[in-house]
Amino acid sequence: MKDTATESTTRPRNPVRGALASFDALTLTCAGVLALLTLAAVAGPLAGVGGDPTAIVGPRLAPPSAEYPLGTDSLGRSLLPRVIEGVGTTLVVSAVAVLCTAVISTAGGIVAGYHGGAVNGVVMRIGDVLYAFPAIILAILVASVVGPGRTAALVSIVLVTVPLMTRMVGAAARLVCVRDYVTAARISGVSAPRIMVRHVLTNVSGTVAVQTTYALSVAILVEGGLSFLGYGVQLPASSLGLLIQEGTVYMVKAPWALLAPSVILVLAIVAINVIGDSLRDRFEPRKARSL
Amino acid sequence: MSTPENVVELRDVDAVFTSGRGRARRVLRAMRGVDLHVAAGETLGLVGESGSGKSTTGAVALGLRRPTSGTVTFLGEPLRRARRRPGAIQAVLQNPHWSLNPRLRVGATVAEPLAARDGRSPNAHRDAVRRMLEQVGLPPDLDARHPHELSGGQRQRVAIARALITEPRFIVFDEAVSALDVSVQAQILNLIRDLQELHGFGSLFISHDLAAVRYVAHRVAVMLRGEIVETAPTSVFYDVPRHPYSRRLLEAT
């Protein structure tokens, strides 16, 4: 993808600014929201914003005040550092899981798309079996096998997101593999792995980027659901799902404990989906599909 | 047996496709007892309507599709063995839009067959690529461009450069000029003729365009429903076609 505009305009342009300017304001705002959340999750604990997330510091279920900007929870822990830690946990677990998904699905999808026929059939049927399980049932199954915790959340996210992403990458790879340049490469004696990397991977990278983004929003949702049910991240650590679950208990007496993590969860998912849609419009103008 | 001066020889080749199972089972005989041969330095034009089995014949001759029965030989040896010598057989395919990887620079595309043969990086073949681009009538510094910056004719020239760079003995042109403007078509056909004189490759020129075939082919084979119904030298074929179907084809143009 070369920016041809740089050649024709008289004024030399900053390529980063040029790339940013090509997205609309909504997408940029959403990217900003995500960047802010990530920054808070990374810098917050380092700078000690709001104090120790596990220390009991004040009265129980205190409303937001200057001392406790988001109030306190049922044990008297300040909610601000807990929310910051929760955002971090959720983002890290989701990001690591989605990275695994991206690697597995891209490799699986390209191999299936390249070989077609029986190989494609086997890969897609494995995907179908996984896809047939409702996400949360699959997650509970995983948690009962490996034990509740981060690992369970991670494995569950991978299992939930892999089938659809493999399918999408496989379909895109299939289209690329019937192109004349792939046939020409095969006739020239270029090896299959080389074709998959040089020709197929480079041409499905847009689909991979889009589907990875959508997978991330699903991942955050699955992590939240699993922690909410008590199968994900365990106390005294915190994650968005865990905080929401705690918040629901005292929803009437202390709605702020539920509000803050819920709003952040919604913001994060909406932001990621908007970015995903924008990437999709850019990379796959005619294929309107989402995870 | 097969004569050594033939680069490619198909003997009694059948290709059968099946689809579906049970009552939905369909059998399509794309090639029925096809016999054809291409000599070094010769172009055999293969004509016929869509679905007559022209492209299947091309795929079989390239070793992309295994025939259901019959033999295919390349320089007197079975094609399967010949396929292990990468670059001996090449192809220029139909659609100039999809013939080149949009993500690769022209130089990398043209160098690829050479790189596949000797395992070196495409960059090691820069000089060979630039010489080849010049031979197909393109400026050598086009090697740094991406396909979307090229016209259809230029793209097809690049595809020809990619096919020729390994000095193949046999090239299949599958509808190689059909998607181009008529004036560009003539240029490309001229180029193919000149390069064949220079390199002496045998070629199978598949097309539904009888005028293009007349221009480049030494002999013409007519395909109808999977069978070759007539083979004749080009001059004879266009003057006195024997098979009724050939006459119909010629009248239609």
Side-chain angles (χ1 to χ4, degrees):
Chain A
M1 291 275 142
K2 264 199 59 184
D3 188 5
T4 43
T6 49
E7 291 174 1
S8 53
T9 50
T10 46
R11 211 160 26 122
R13 256 202 247 153
N14 181 345
V16 178
R17 269 191 64 191
L20 281 182
S22 65
F23 286 103
D24 59 300
L26 179 64
T27 310
L28 291 179
T29 311
C30 289
V33 167
L34 270 192
L36 214 64
L37 285 178
T38 315
L39 185 74
V42 174
L46 287 177
V49 175
D52 182 356
T54 52
I56 294 168
V57 291
R60 298 159 47 168
L61 298 176
S65 63
E67 203 177 344
Y68 315 112
L70 295 178
T72 62
D73 69 3
S74 58
L75 292 177
R77 295 176 292 202
S78 176
L79 271 173
L80 178 65
R82 286 190 66 72
V83 168
I84 289 175
E85 192 202 337
V87 171
T89 315
T90 299
L91 286 185
V92 167
V93 170
S94 305
V96 171
V98 165
L99 214 60
C100 297
T101 298
V103 171
I104 296 170
S105 296
T106 307
I110 288 177
V111 168
Y114 179 80
H115 290 285
V119 178
N120 187 45
V122 169
V123 172
M124 291 309 160
R125 290 302 86 73
I126 294 173
D128 284 347
V129 169
L130 284 175
Y131 200 45
F133 282 98
I136 215 68
I137 306 270
L138 191 66
I140 291 171
L141 190 74
V142 171
S144 63
V145 172
V146 302
R150 274 163 204 255
T151 322
L154 213 138
V155 174
S156 307
I157 294 169
V158 172
L159 287 181
V160 168
T161 48
V162 152
L164 194 52
M165 181 157 173
T166 308
R167 193 168 275 282
M168 298 305 292
V169 175
R174 193 78 216 122
L175 282 179
V176 172
C177 287
V178 298
R179 298 281 189 237
D180 282 353
Y181 53 82
V182 172
T183 312
R186 277 171 61 204
I187 294 166
S188 303
V190 181
S191 67
R194 212 182 152 93
I195 291 178
M196 290 187 213
V197 174
R198 264 171 77 90
H199 294 294
V200 187
L201 178 60
T202 52
N203 282 290
V204 299
S205 54
T207 306
V208 169
V210 173
Q211 293 304 320
T212 303
T213 316
Y214 287 131
L216 189 62
S217 83
V218 172
I220 291 176
L221 212 55
V222 170
E223 190 283 324
L226 212 54
S227 298
F228 183 87
L229 293 174
Y231 292 103
V233 174
Q234 299 292 303
L235 290 168
S238 111
S239 82
L240 287 180
L242 210 54
L243 290 169
I244 292 172
Q245 190 268 327
E246 284 188 322
T248 53
V249 179
Y250 300 99
M251 195 166 68
V252 180
K253 264 199 85 179
W256 53 86
L258 175 62
L259 213 58
S262 311
V263 167
I264 290 177
L265 188 83
V266 169
L267 269 184
I269 289 174
V270 168
I272 290 170
N273 277 315
V274 168
I275 293 172
D277 286 347
S278 168
L279 287 176
R280 186 196 59 204
D281 293 344
R282 160 136 336 173
F283 291 123
E284 322 170 61
R286 275 167 303 150
K287 280 176 274 168
R289 276 285 322 177
S290 67
L291 195 74
Chain B
M1 295 320 311
S2 58
T3 40
E5 60 263 30
N6 284 340
V7 277
V8 164
E9 204 168 320
L10 270 65
R11 285 177 158 270
D12 198 21
V13 170
D14 275 24
V16 180
F17 299 104
T18 56
S19 65
R21 275 184 217 102
R23 291 175 66 190
R25 190 179 155 89
R26 296 273 181 282
V27 177
L28 176 74
R29 297 186 65 195
M31 292 169 73
R32 311 169 193 232
V34 169
D35 280 296
L36 62 81
H37 60 92
V38 178
E42 179 197 44
T43 296
L44 174 66
L46 188 59
V47 299
E49 60 195 16
S50 328
S52 58
K54 301 188 304 273
S55 285
T56 307
T57 306
V60 167
L62 285 166
L64 288 177
R65 175 171 295 286
R66 204 197 290 263
T68 312
S69 67
T71 58
V72 185
T73 54
F74 176 73
L75 296 172
E77 56 180 349
L79 188 66
R80 289 269 141 196
R81 208 179 308 153
R83 294 273 304 147
R84 285 188 215 133
R85 288 202 310 239
I89 300 175
Q90 291 279 24
V92 178
L93 303 171
Q94 194 158 8
N95 192 332
H97 200 69
W98 294 118
S99 61
L100 307 176
N101 184 342
R103 297 295 173 109
L104 289 184
R105 289 177 197 280
V106 166
T109 291
V110 177
E112 187 168 55
L114 277 185
R117 191 162 65 179
D118 63 14
R120 289 159 69 199
S121 102
N123 291 331
H125 303 290
R126 190 153 181 270
D127 293 334
V129 167
R130 292 171 72 95
R131 274 199 304 278
M132 197 67 239
L133 287 177
E134 237 172 349
Q135 258 195 46
V136 298
L138 292 171
D141 51 3
L142 216 68
D143 65 349
R145 300 289 191 83
H146 281 92
H148 68 85
E149 300 172 78
L150 271 51
S151 69
Q154 284 178 320
R155 286 197 199 122
Q156 214 58 336
R157 283 174 194 265
V158 171
I160 291 172
R162 171 180 58 193
L164 270 177
I165 197 154
T166 52
E167 308 228 310
R169 302 296 305 276
F170 177 56
I171 304 184
V172 172
F173 295 90
D174 189 357
E175 303 282 8
V177 297
S178 308
L180 301 173
D181 292 342
V182 178
S183 61
V184 183
Q185 270 189 19
Q187 292 169 19
I188 299 288
L189 292 173
N190 271 327
L191 178 70
I192 292 172
R193 282 217 311 208
D194 295 347
L195 290 170
Q196 187 171 39
E197 224 155 88
L198 196 67
H199 294 271
F201 54 82
S203 86
L204 181 64
F205 191 92
I206 301 169
S207 182
H208 63 266
D209 181 352
L210 287 163
V213 169
R214 181 175 204 170
Y215 197 70
V216 291
H218 302 100
R219 287 187 300 127
V220 180
V222 182
M223 244 181 139
L224 172 66
R225 286 186 226 106
E227 273 176 292
I228 291 192
V229 293
E230 176 171 0
T231 311
T234 305
S235 52
V236 177
F237 175 77
Y238 282 90
D239 289 342
V240 274
R242 275 180 295 122
H243 195 275
Y245 178 69
S246 308
R247 268 179 238 135
R248 283 222 316 275
L249 265 183
L250 281 172
E251 277 161 18
T253 53

